[in-house]
Amino acid sequence: MSIREIDVEQACVDRLYACLDDLRARVGDRLGRTLAQLGSGHQALVERETAAAEYAEQLARLNAVESGLCFGRLDLMDGQIHRIGRLGLRAENSGEPLLIDWRAPAARPFYVATGIVPEGVRRRRHLSTDGRRVVDLQDELLELTDHQEHGELTGEAALLAALNASRTGRMSDIVATIQGEQDRIIRADHRGVLVVQGGPGTGKTAVALHRAAYLLYTRRAQLAKQVVLIVGPNAAFLRYIDQVLPSLGETGVRLATIGELFPGVAAERAEPARTTEVKGRAAMARVIAAAVRDRQWVPGWEPEETLLVEYEGEVLRLARPVCAGAREAARSAGLTHNQARPIVEQRIVAALAEQYAELIGTDPLGGENLLDAGSLAAIRQELRASPGVRAALDRLWPRLTPQRLLTELFASPGRLATAAPQLSAVERQALLRAPGGGWSQADVPLLDEAAELLGPDEERRQARRADTERARQRRLAYAQEALDVAYGSRSVDLEDGEEAELLSAYDLVDADRLAERQQWRDPRTAAERAAADRAWAYGHLIVDEAQELSAMDWRMLMRRCPSRSMTLVGDVAQTGAPGGADSWAEALDPYLAGRWRLARLDVNYRTPAEIAAVAADVLAALDAGSAAPSAVRETGVRPWHAPEEALPRLVAQETAAVGEGSLAVIAPTADAATLAQLGLPALSVQRAKGLEFDSVIVLDPAGIVAESPRGLSDLYVALTRATQRLGVVHPGELPAPLRAERFDR
């Protein structure tokens, strides 16, 4: 590297930032002019707000790529030079490409070119910047490195600098250091289900997020409307990754946990692992279906079981045959529970009207019914509104919400015994709970399953439709009045007394069209509308830590993405959830029948070799056939272990060692909660999943193993969160499978 070369690159970077500043200024000017526009009426306001939102989004994307705008350069063998950056820029006057978006096909050689397959590249240059200032360059001369192999790291100096940098508590993008194996996954065909299996530190999460950015670049028109959904394991993880896509210029994505996928429900209830495991089983779909059918009640055969209905001083009777016939008609209609209720209502009201007509309309002398068809119709109408009839219908075929169905199911041993005979008494006991107390994350897929079977409440839906129609009629009347006012002045008198016809509002628009223009337009973004709509069909689904999902979680997610355009990333060796997967086939084949493809990430970029060796011992105990990913670096700092009573001193020691970096104490769940209350940076394994820290202290590894049936997997996760330093603090002797020779005392 020479000062002259840095000066050359600095001049180019200055030009790029000038172009970016100019573009931002133009978009900002459009935004300002739009907000300043005057306009009367609702339509003008809506159009102004819509345009302003579009310009504001463009401006936010341009602002987000400020840091590291240009990070690479390709010198091609034909003499061309391509500069690679976070977005594409062209000269305003000539249209000359100044910066190539990292996702464009022309940028791909920056990530995959090698000495053996140079992709037409003579030199690859990595730029390191501080703000807008170029501070360093690293060059790779591909035409001179014929010994390179496909698996060799690209941009090794830049990569190692990024890996050795202190963690800030927020995930950074890897756009400048994407490796060839990662790039192939990022740019893979969007169609179908792609499973990315990778051990700790292989960059699974980063690859998934950059794949989201790539798909939005290549399929923006479709995905901007349909939305990309990214599902993470917990709220802490989502906070950790929430700046990655904005830094790549992408904002139209929804981030959520499983517990946030049922609108209106906050899944904050904690519950035992046994309960979570039972709720996650595929068998719970049959339990929910049986619980719905159980609410479609009919009386027994005995006379005393006949359902009595009081109406107008008379007692009407609903015997089993009538109720059973109504139930069968409703069930055979192929509708959801709530949608089928009108069928039951029609049958029951007709039977009751016939009874009542016989009681009041029969001629005592001739035995004939004296009521005509109009009178019978009036009786049916009055019966529908009768409180006694409504109560009978609610007993026979109640209107149900998912929340009501599950609340009453889990509160009743009898209902559970009827709906879940396949569960043991102990398992049903695990599901029992008193009403109230909120919902757990494991409840959300059950609520979703219930919503599919119950469907919307048709009576409430019809009421909403009626409200919508009344609002439309009000808009129509208002529009007609406006046109009438305009029509009243559509002619003028000329000097000679003749009347001249003028072009009026009636000639341009009728009342219906004017009313339509006055309709309210939803100001929310597509992602916001998707979050509020349980039935939204997402354009692409990305799941991180996918191995943690239960069978019921998968049922819900498959509904969210009927196109089956998915990217699922995880590591089955790290499965810790009670209902998680032991293999990808086990998790996916019930829904995809083998129609998914597997990609592997085998290089550990996060964990130094010294720490990776400790984790590999645990992986071998967990599954002797699994191969740990290969670490790309050493730090020269060996892990250490110490007795538990030294924890406070060791936390202070590690805090000093990492300086402004991050530290976490990963402990058994109860210990983590206690330490957090004392102000220590303590996390349970489940809360630490997917995160990384400069230094990690694993407290009581034997306790981590003991608290879960998947305890070795949890310990493996805990040991692989560190990027620089690892300590193990334990009571008694160092427990197996940790080997003392891997540690410094």
Side-chain angles (χ1 to χ4, degrees):
M1 178 189 70
S2 68
I3 295 177
R4 180 181 178 280
E5 288 175 322
I6 286 185
D7 288 343
V8 169
E9 294 299 338
Q10 184 66 61
C12 293
V13 167
D14 288 343
R15 184 185 180 193
L16 292 173
Y17 274 109
C19 182
L20 178 66
D21 289 341
D22 180 65
L23 183 56
R24 282 196 292 219
R26 283 185 277 127
V27 174
D29 181 61
R30 291 175 193 146
L31 174 60
R33 283 189 280 111
T34 299
L35 291 173
Q37 283 177 350
L38 298 177
S40 60
H42 176 77
Q43 176 69 16
L45 178 63
V46 168
E47 290 179 351
R48 186 184 70 182
E49 289 181 347
T50 300
E54 291 176 356
Y55 289 134
E57 183 177 355
Q58 289 180 36
L59 193 58
R61 292 176 60 195
L62 293 173
N63 289 335
V65 299
E66 165 75 23
S67 178
L69 174 64
C70 176
F71 53 79
R73 164 177 157 170
L74 290 174
D75 292 12
L76 304 185
M77 293 179 183
D78 62 5
Q80 294 187 66
I81 294 176
H82 292 165
R83 287 184 168 79
I84 314 300
R86 294 175 180 273
L87 82 169
L89 290 174
R90 289 180 177 272
E92 182 181 3
N93 297 329
S94 64
E96 171 196 359
L98 303 178
L99 189 64
I100 295 176
D101 192 299
W102 67 274
R103 296 164 288 190
R108 191 176 189 200
F110 185 77
Y111 301 111
V112 300
T114 68
I116 294 177
V117 184
E119 301 281 350
V121 176
R122 181 179 63 83
R123 178 174 65 179
R124 172 171 44 217
R125 170 170 286 179
H126 291 261
L127 279 68
S128 298
T129 56
D130 181 6
R132 296 189 172 194
R133 187 167 60 90
V134 179
V135 295
D136 197 9
L137 308 173
Q138 292 94 34
D139 284 345
E140 296 172 84
L141 300 176
L142 301 187
E143 63 181 355
L144 301 179
T145 54
D146 294 337
H147 64 281
Q148 280 187 307
E149 297 181 357
H150 293 280
E152 187 164 328
L153 299 176
T154 59
E156 183 172 355
L159 174 63
L160 293 178
L163 296 178
N164 287 317
S166 295
R167 270 39 181 183
T168 64
R170 290 293 180 92
M171 185 177 184
S172 301
D173 64 68
I174 60 167
V175 65
T177 57
I178 293 170
Q179 299 299 297
E181 64 167 359
Q182 298 171 326
D183 184 79
R184 285 187 286 275
I185 293 171
I186 290 169
R187 297 174 191 264
D189 192 335
H190 71 274
R191 291 169 292 189
V193 176
L194 174 65
V195 178
V196 183
Q197 163 68 37
T202 55
K204 300 182 298 296
T205 299
V207 166
L209 295 173
H210 287 69
R211 178 161 168 76
Y214 174 76
L215 293 176
L216 285 163
Y217 174 80
T218 56
R219 303 173 60 217
R220 188 172 305 281
Q222 179 181 356
L223 292 181
K225 296 177 181 178
Q226 295 181 335
V227 185
V228 174
L229 171 63
I230 299 178
V231 176
N234 52 57
F237 174 83
L238 296 183
R239 289 193 296 271
Y240 176 62
I241 68 170
D242 67 2
Q243 294 304 308
V244 174
L245 283 168
S247 75
L248 298 173
E250 300 297 346
T251 56
V253 172
R254 184 188 176 195
L255 296 151
T257 65
I258 286 290
E260 295 171 325
L261 293 182
F262 195 92
V265 167
E268 299 173 347
R269 179 188 182 116
E271 60 187 7
R274 180 60 180 273
T275 303
T276 299
E277 188 273 325
V278 174
K279 288 181 178 179
R281 295 180 190 175
M284 287 302 296
R286 298 193 296 275
V287 172
I288 301 301
V292 173
R293 291 177 68 86
D294 185 45
R295 303 305 294 271
Q296 299 163 357
W297 180 79
V298 297
W301 287 104
E302 299 301 323
E304 63 269 17
E305 296 182 71
T306 297
L307 186 60
L308 304 180
V309 180
E310 292 187 9
Y311 176 70
E312 296 293 327
E314 302 288 349
V315 176
L316 308 177
R317 299 175 181 273
L318 288 171
R320 181 181 176 88
V322 172
C323 298
R327 181 174 71 174
E328 183 57 32
R331 284 180 173 178
S332 62
L335 301 173
T336 61
H337 173 88
N338 288 330
Q339 290 173 324
R341 178 178 159 118
I343 297 173
V344 177
E345 179 178 313
Q346 182 181 24
R347 291 283 191 114
I348 296 301
V349 167
L352 292 173
E354 185 177 336
Q355 282 188 49
Y356 186 69
E358 289 180 359
L359 289 173
I360 69 168
T362 302
D363 184 347
L365 298 177
E368 296 181 2
N369 195 302
L370 302 179
L371 297 178
D372 58 18
S375 298
L376 286 172
I379 291 172
R380 287 193 292 269
Q381 186 66 27
E382 292 173 1
L383 279 167
R384 285 190 178 91
S386 166
V389 174
R390 307 305 295 178
L393 286 169
D394 287 341
R395 178 73 179 91
L396 294 167
W397 198 282
R399 289 191 184 88
L400 293 171
T401 64
Q403 290 90 329
R404 178 185 170 187
L405 179 76
L406 262 64
T407 295
E408 295 176 357
L409 174 65
F410 292 154
S412 169
R415 291 192 191 280
L416 270 173
T418 301
Q422 68 271 48
L423 299 182
S424 69
V426 173
E427 290 166 340
R428 291 197 295 271
Q429 183 65 35
L431 297 176
L432 273 176
R433 71 184 191 208
W439 301 99
S440 71
Q441 181 160 299
D443 287 325
V444 168
L446 305 186
L447 290 167
D448 197 68
E449 189 75 23
E452 286 291 304
L453 298 174
L454 295 174
D457 184 330
E458 283 301 297
E459 187 170 281
R460 292 177 183 173
R461 174 181 277 189
Q462 290 173 9
R464 288 195 295 269
R465 287 174 178 169
D467 290 342
T468 300
E469 177 59 22
R470 283 192 291 271
R472 192 188 74 83
Q473 291 296 333
R474 286 195 297 270
R475 289 195 302 271
L476 184 60
Y478 175 81
Q480 188 65 56
E481 291 176 6
L483 288 174
D484 289 342
V485 170
Y487 184 72
S489 58
R490 66 180 298 200
S491 62
V492 297
D493 292 330
L494 300 179
E495 290 183 0
D496 59 2
E498 295 181 358
E499 191 176 73
E501 196 76 14
L502 297 180
L503 186 66
S504 75
Y506 274 115
D507 300 307
L508 301 175
V509 64
D510 58 20
D512 281 330
R513 189 173 302 173
L514 184 59
E516 181 181 345
R517 290 183 179 180
Q518 296 299 319
Q519 284 187 352
W520 175 80
R521 293 184 181 179
D522 195 334
R524 297 174 298 175
T525 65
E528 290 169 338
R529 285 184 282 117
D533 184 355
R534 188 195 70 83
W536 189 278
Y538 290 91
H540 192 81
L541 171 66
I542 293 176
V543 183
D544 203 307
E545 303 291 348
Q547 77 281 351
E548 301 297 317
L549 300 187
S550 70
M552 292 304 295
D553 292 336
W554 283 117
R555 282 180 69 89
M556 178 173 64
L557 290 179
M558 293 296 168
R559 293 189 194 105
R560 297 297 186 273
C561 190
S563 68
R564 301 294 190 265
S565 177
M566 303 179 183
T567 304
L568 314 174
V569 302
D571 178 17
V572 291
Q574 297 184 64
T575 302
D582 292 320
S583 72
W584 293 117
E586 172 193 303
L588 300 176
D589 282 353
Y591 315 100
L592 300 171
R595 294 187 298 274
W596 50 275
R597 59 195 193 275
L598 180 68
R600 294 185 179 276
L601 292 171
D602 298 316
V603 179
N604 185 344
Y605 301 100
R606 175 203 300 145
T607 313
E610 296 89 344
I611 298 175
V614 175
D617 292 337
V618 176
L619 180 61
L622 177 65
D623 181 0
S626 294
S630 303
V632 300
R633 65 192 173 106
E634 297 179 354
T635 60
V637 179
R638 297 185 68 194
W640 52 263
H641 73 100
E644 188 172 11
E645 57 269 19
L647 180 62
R649 175 179 60 80
L650 295 170
V651 169
Q653 167 190 300
E654 288 301 304
T655 300
V658 298
E660 296 182 358
S662 57
L663 166 69
V665 178
I666 302 179
T669 303
D671 292 333
T674 300
L675 293 173
Q677 290 176 350
L678 296 174
L680 294 179
L683 297 169
S684 67
V685 175
Q686 293 308 311
R687 289 196 60 202
K689 187 156 288 191
L691 308 181
E692 61 183 18
F693 308 90
D694 293 290
S695 177
V696 168
I697 298 175
V698 177
L699 173 63
D700 189 9
I704 289 175
V705 173
E707 76 172 344
S708 167
R710 299 180 183 269
L712 280 175
S713 293
D714 287 347
L715 180 57
Y716 183 55
V717 171
L719 294 169
T720 54
R721 299 304 95 196
T723 66
Q724 303 291 338
R725 301 171 61 87
L726 173 68
V728 175
V729 176
H730 54 93
E733 296 296 320
L734 191 67
L738 302 181
R739 296 161 54 187
E741 61 266 27
R742 302 285 195 195
F743 294 86
D744 278 341
R745 288 290 299 187

